[in-house]
Amino acid sequence: MPTPFLNAPSSSPEIVPFIADSAADAARQVRERLGPEAVVVQVRPVETGTRGWFGKKPRPRIEVLAYRPEPVSVKEATADTSMRLDVVAGDAPAETDPLPRPQERDPVPETRAKDSTGTPEGMTVEPSEETEPVAPRSGGGTWRAGGLLEASGLLPQEAQRIVDRLRRDHGDVPPGAMMDELVLVKRALRKAWKDASPTAAAGGEVHVLVGAPGAGKTTCLSKWLTQVALGEGRPVRVWRLDGQTANTADALAVYCDVLGVPLARRWGDGDGADAGEMGFVDLPGTNWRDAGAVARVGELLKSLGPVRIHLVLNGAYETTLMLRQVRAFGALAVEDLLVTHLDEEGRWGKLWNLVLGTNYSVRYLSAGQNVPGDFQVATPDALWARQFRG
């Protein structure tokens, strides 16, 4: 059985059904009844009315199931995995040979400067408001965090970099209690986190999801557009384009029809998202081992004009394989990462390798094939909460 997301409702909330004529109507009803914190759990098409001998065909409408969550603490909210209404926002063999961090071709112009230890600047470990400073023990001892970090999924070199930083900032002698040592580790990892750039409040942006076959691009796109259409009540437009191969994602067409979202099969002159609107482009998977195939996708993206490009990675793959895909798609102007298939992976700590070992931020975490399903904004607290639960 797939591991459920950490913050699924522990009790049985009251599920309220809504019947609406459109996504905008559904969003309005849910907000008015349950408030902006309401959580949508299912969207499906329904037909209302009856068909008589000479009657018309029943009118297609949308059924939305939602509930009002119980109040949660700030810490719990940061790791929420449900789709909140106020959120803004091929199989391949495993490879085990180590992969160095990209250096010759940095995929993002805004790279992180390195200090003398090879650690990104800004990873200072300082006492936070939520935790008192931790005093080191007076006796001997060595830092134990490295082994735990590796066990949770970090590559040895990334775990060692964290330990080296802790040693530099707090000395060779760690705190007496292991929990105190982990407090310092958590602060260090938080400082290394890079938030994804926000989407434009005024709309007018087009977002393109790229990645290998089977990474879950179309599912991610469907989940994301649901957040925008239902959660934010904003107009959405989708382009389902062919690449080197035909785009056969018929499920996307069905889902767009359910939400009343326009779907085009070709990109024409003057196409793009209007003011207040968000656009999404769905492409077939790209063979990342073929540099020529990646380059041709790059040419296609250039023909679309200004777009924001997001790389989708299968989180159930080995870390070195994900990093190789990051390197391969670095030839494109990728902005950030979306990680999928996390219902198949217990070691969420491995995602820190994407944070520490690349110049990208992580935007969304996705699990399962259901739409809207499990789709949450990536945060350091969300990773930490699941890091030692694999």
Side-chain angles (χ1 to χ4, degrees):
M1 177 181 297
T3 303
F5 264 41
L6 176 65
N7 289 312
S10 56
S11 58
S12 298
E14 179 185 359
I15 303 295
V16 181
F18 298 87
I19 302 295
D21 294 323
S22 64
D25 182 34
R28 177 188 59 78
Q29 291 188 47
V30 174
R31 285 178 180 274
E32 290 179 355
R33 175 79 178 273
L34 302 179
E37 293 295 320
V39 176
V40 175
V41 295
Q42 180 176 314
V43 181
R44 69 185 183 93
V46 295
E47 292 183 346
T48 58
T50 58
R51 186 200 302 265
W53 287 101
F54 302 101
K56 296 182 179 180
K57 181 179 180 180
R59 178 176 50 169
R61 306 180 79 185
I62 302 173
E63 181 186 60
V64 176
L65 302 182
Y67 70 90
R68 180 188 291 115
E70 295 295 328
V72 295
S73 66
V74 174
K75 181 178 293 186
E76 290 171 333
T78 57
D80 187 12
T81 61
S82 301
M83 189 194 77
R84 292 189 177 278
L85 286 176
D86 61 347
V87 171
V88 179
D91 294 340
E95 298 180 26
T96 56
D97 54 313
L99 174 74
R101 181 177 295 102
Q103 294 179 352
E104 299 178 357
R105 184 180 59 199
D106 283 326
V108 176
E110 183 185 351
T111 57
R112 301 183 209 172
K114 306 293 193 302
D115 58 23
S116 59
T117 67
T119 303
E121 291 181 354
M123 269 191 60
T124 56
V125 181
E126 301 173 351
S128 63
E129 296 179 357
E130 66 179 26
T131 309
E132 293 298 321
V134 178
R137 59 184 175 186
S138 57
T142 58
W143 290 87
R144 297 151 290 183
L148 286 176
L149 289 174
E150 286 189 46
S152 72
L154 270 74
L155 294 174
Q157 61 267 31
E158 301 300 349
Q160 187 59 48
R161 287 175 59 229
I162 295 296
V163 172
D164 290 344
R165 187 65 186 217
L166 293 172
R167 211 179 260 127
R168 193 186 79 173
D169 290 348
H170 301 280
D172 292 331
V173 180
M178 189 66 216
M179 291 303 297
D180 290 339
E181 186 172 334
L182 289 176
V183 166
L184 299 180
V185 173
K186 183 177 182 180
R187 292 180 195 164
L189 291 172
R190 274 182 171 176
K191 291 293 184 180
W193 186 264
K194 184 178 180 181
D195 290 328
S197 300
T199 57
E205 294 181 332
V206 175
H207 298 263
V208 184
L209 276 59
V210 299
K217 301 180 302 303
T218 302
T219 300
C220 265
L221 189 153
S222 299
K223 292 180 178 184
W224 194 352
L225 74 86
T226 302
Q227 285 195 347
V228 176
L230 282 179
E232 302 174 37
R234 294 170 60 180
V236 184
R237 185 177 300 274
V238 177
W239 289 265
R240 178 181 146 205
L241 305 182
D242 296 328
Q244 292 182 269
T245 60
N247 190 331
T248 59
D250 294 330
L252 178 60
V254 173
Y255 200 71
C256 286
D257 185 59
V258 170
L259 292 177
V261 172
L263 173 67
R265 288 289 284 124
R266 295 183 180 180
W267 183 275
D269 292 338
D271 271 358
D274 297 330
E277 184 179 60
M278 185 177 291
F280 292 95
V281 173
D282 183 64
L283 295 174
T286 304
N287 181 2
W288 59 275
R289 289 185 172 89
D290 184 348
V294 176
R296 286 187 287 274
V297 171
E299 292 301 317
L300 171 60
L301 294 175
K302 290 179 182 178
S303 71
L304 303 181
V307 294
R308 298 179 65 173
I309 304 170
H310 312 274
L311 174 59
V312 180
L313 299 172
N314 186 332
Y317 282 171
E318 291 295 325
T319 298
T320 51
L321 181 56
M322 287 193 290
L323 289 174
R324 287 187 178 280
Q325 292 186 1
V326 170
R327 285 288 299 273
F329 285 102
L332 310 177
V334 171
E335 177 179 328
D336 51 38
L337 311 175
L338 285 71
V339 186
T340 65
H341 291 269
L342 289 174
D343 53 320
E344 304 169 16
E345 176 57 66
R347 296 182 307 155
W348 283 31
K350 67 192 287 188
L351 303 188
W352 282 108
N353 297 303
L354 301 175
V355 177
L356 299 170
T358 78
N359 295 312
Y360 295 118
S361 57
V362 180
R363 180 175 291 272
Y364 281 116
L365 307 174
S366 177
Q369 298 299 310
N370 294 332
V371 178
D374 294 317
F375 193 64
Q376 66 168 316
V377 175
T379 67
D381 287 336
L383 296 191
W384 183 265
R386 285 291 300 271
Q387 190 159 353
F388 301 104
R389 293 172 60 89

